[in-house]
Amino acid sequence: MPDYCISRRQLLQLALTATLSGPAKVLADTTDGQGLILSAFDDQHGQHFFGGFDELGSQRFAVPLPGRAHGIAIHPSGSVCAVIARRAGTFLSIVSLPEGRHLQTLNNPAQRRFYGHAAFSPDGQRLFTSENDYEHQRGVIGVWQWDGQQLRRTDEWLSGGEGPHEVIMHPDGQLLVANGGVITHPDTGRDMLNLDTMHPNLSFIDIQTGQVSRQLNLPSALQRLSIRHLSVSSSGVIACALQYAGGVTLPDSASKVVPLLALLRPHDDHLQLVHLPEGPEFHHNYIGSVCWDSEGRWLALTAPQGSRAYFFNALPLAENSAGRWGPGITYSDTCGITQDSVAGSFIISSGSGGVISYSPIDGDWQPMPDRFARRQRWDNHMARA
């Protein structure tokens, strides 16, 4: 058994027998319902749920859902979260934490569809949802505000592009929007209707005015690289996970592989594109999720279509270097990923069933011991409350 696994279990034992601080206290907190790891999942009968489990994979709650869910937005207080339907969805559930009570269901307005993700404002007073205005073929941000104990829609902003997917808050208080550039319509499901005219971008929205304050685009030769998912490090480095909508190679450069990671460091004026360490035969030019570790040094990306996970050390070794890749791993239908309680380590889930903890620093890998985590078929995203 790897030393990392022993260390994790030793900490749990300490949590039960000693006065604790530091990492051991993190594990002890899970017995009080804190330190929750959250994700949507399907059980063995194909029923849809949203669940929470602790550091060892033990169930804390499971809330039935009306359909398959995708992203999770946690309120700054940690007292509630939003669970958003898979694109192009029609529901959003508000769930209390840590006990996991369903509080409210939000439904999309007419001619709108939820696009999989949401984010709470820093003060917790508003919820921002990525949406598709399919009649006008444009992306919008739904603005929802607390009215007592319920959220109600109060405004709508343009997202700055088409097909907005993940939205997160930047440390400077602006809303980051991954405008994927893809137009879809409910009548044609998830079919991409504008492959030849895609214009993906990363937009910053001033949440006081609802206006786009800054926008970064990919090179025109990479117009079919859809910006899909976002993560921002403790030092403010933005990571964008990309998906290529034009096949496994660029039409004008068949000998090259498309970059699937874009980084924006503080004070930079352009996206730094990074190629994965393997070719498209391994990842199928599709990254499903991206996450920084708690120190903002290691970045994890998952490629569910290739059952691969990649780990990038983003501390540059030289002035012109983006960083360096650590060894990747194979894990069946892996997509969901979130920070572990230990720096440089991640919790990773499988759509085939199972959750592991993994550290790219020393390659230690441990399946979650509790059978609840092992038996469920986990959806694409995870979050730590």
Side-chain angles (χ1 to χ4, degrees):
M1 182 179 295
D3 291 342
Y4 176 71
C5 303
I6 296 172
S7 174
R8 194 180 191 92
R9 292 177 182 177
Q10 287 173 339
L11 285 174
L12 181 62
Q13 185 63 34
L14 285 173
L16 299 174
T17 60
T19 301
L20 304 175
S21 61
K25 187 177 184 300
V26 173
L27 287 175
D29 284 343
T30 65
T31 62
D32 297 326
Q34 300 178 27
L36 284 173
I37 300 165
L38 308 170
S39 182
F41 68 91
D42 285 359
D43 67 9
Q44 294 178 320
H45 304 289
Q47 301 298 306
H48 306 297
F49 293 88
F50 172 64
F53 58 89
D54 67 18
E55 297 278 357
L56 297 181
S58 299
Q59 178 180 343
R60 289 293 173 258
F61 64 81
V63 179
L65 295 174
R68 183 177 171 185
H70 192 71
I72 304 152
I74 300 174
H75 191 272
S77 69
S79 61
V80 297
C81 67
V83 188
I84 306 92
R86 180 176 184 255
R87 177 179 67 88
T90 59
F91 75 90
L92 183 155
S93 295
I94 303 297
V95 177
S96 69
L97 298 175
E99 63 273 17
R101 288 186 298 110
H102 178 266
L103 301 176
Q104 184 183 4
T105 297
L106 306 179
N107 297 111
N108 58 275
Q111 299 181 355
R112 303 289 185 271
R113 289 293 185 272
F114 290 126
Y115 250 31
H117 289 271
F120 281 99
S121 60
D123 63 5
Q125 294 300 306
R126 290 178 291 174
L127 178 71
F128 307 117
T129 51
S130 60
E131 300 179 13
N132 180 25
D133 173 2
Y134 55 84
E135 287 301 316
H136 297 96
Q137 296 189 338
R138 63 185 184 181
V140 297
I141 302 298
V143 182
W144 309 75
Q145 191 154 358
W146 291 104
D147 182 5
Q149 300 298 310
Q150 301 282 295
L151 281 164
R152 62 181 181 88
R153 194 180 184 91
T154 58
D155 205 351
E156 181 178 282
W157 306 329
L158 295 179
S159 73
E162 296 87 31
H165 194 52
E166 186 153 23
V167 293
I168 63 174
M169 294 304 307
H170 191 273
D172 69 3
Q174 294 192 85
L175 184 70
L176 294 177
V177 182
N179 283 305
V182 175
I183 293 174
T184 64
H185 194 282
D187 291 346
T188 53
R190 293 164 63 89
D191 291 350
M192 301 178 186
L193 305 179
N194 64 322
L195 287 178
D196 293 331
T197 58
M198 286 175 58
H199 293 290
N201 68 66
L202 174 66
S203 291
F204 292 68
I205 294 181
D206 184 332
I207 65 171
Q208 304 306 317
T209 66
Q211 300 297 309
V212 174
S213 62
R214 185 185 183 193
Q215 194 168 82
L216 294 101
N217 299 282
L218 296 174
S220 58
L222 298 175
Q223 70 173 44
R224 290 191 180 184
L225 264 182
S226 182
I227 301 176
R228 306 297 294 167
H229 295 105
L230 305 171
S231 184
V232 60
S233 74
S234 54
S235 61
V237 181
I238 301 167
C240 307
L242 313 178
Q243 298 172 6
Y244 188 53
V248 297
T249 55
L250 285 170
D252 58 348
S253 185
S255 64
K256 295 184 179 179
V257 175
V258 294
L260 296 178
L261 171 64
L263 298 174
L264 182 66
R265 300 181 189 276
H267 313 302
D268 279 359
D269 59 2
H270 67 281
L271 293 169
Q272 183 178 22
L273 298 175
V274 182
H275 290 267
L276 267 62
E278 297 178 328
E281 66 272 21
F282 290 94
H283 50 66
H284 301 274
N285 278 336
Y286 185 102
I287 298 300
S289 189
V290 60
C291 179
W292 290 99
D293 81 320
S294 59
E295 290 187 341
R297 176 180 177 182
W298 283 94
L299 182 69
L301 305 94
T302 52
Q305 294 184 8
S307 296
R308 293 288 285 166
Y310 300 97
F311 304 92
F312 186 71
N313 187 326
L315 293 182
L317 297 176
E319 184 176 346
N320 296 323
S321 170
R324 59 183 174 83
W325 291 100
I329 64 170
T330 297
Y331 189 44
S332 176
D333 193 19
T334 184
C335 196
I337 193 160
T338 193
Q339 297 175 353
D340 200 347
S341 56
V342 179
S345 183
F346 298 91
I347 304 296
I348 309 173
S349 66
S350 165
S352 302
V355 179
I356 63 170
S357 59
Y358 178 77
S359 170
I361 296 174
D362 51 21
D364 283 337
W365 161 316
Q366 179 195 15
M368 286 287 181
D370 192 273
R371 68 176 184 174
F372 172 76
R374 296 199 310 266
R375 294 180 65 181
Q376 316 309 327
R377 296 189 287 272
W378 299 98
D379 219 292
N380 292 24
H381 295 285
M382 304 176 76
R384 174 179 288 274

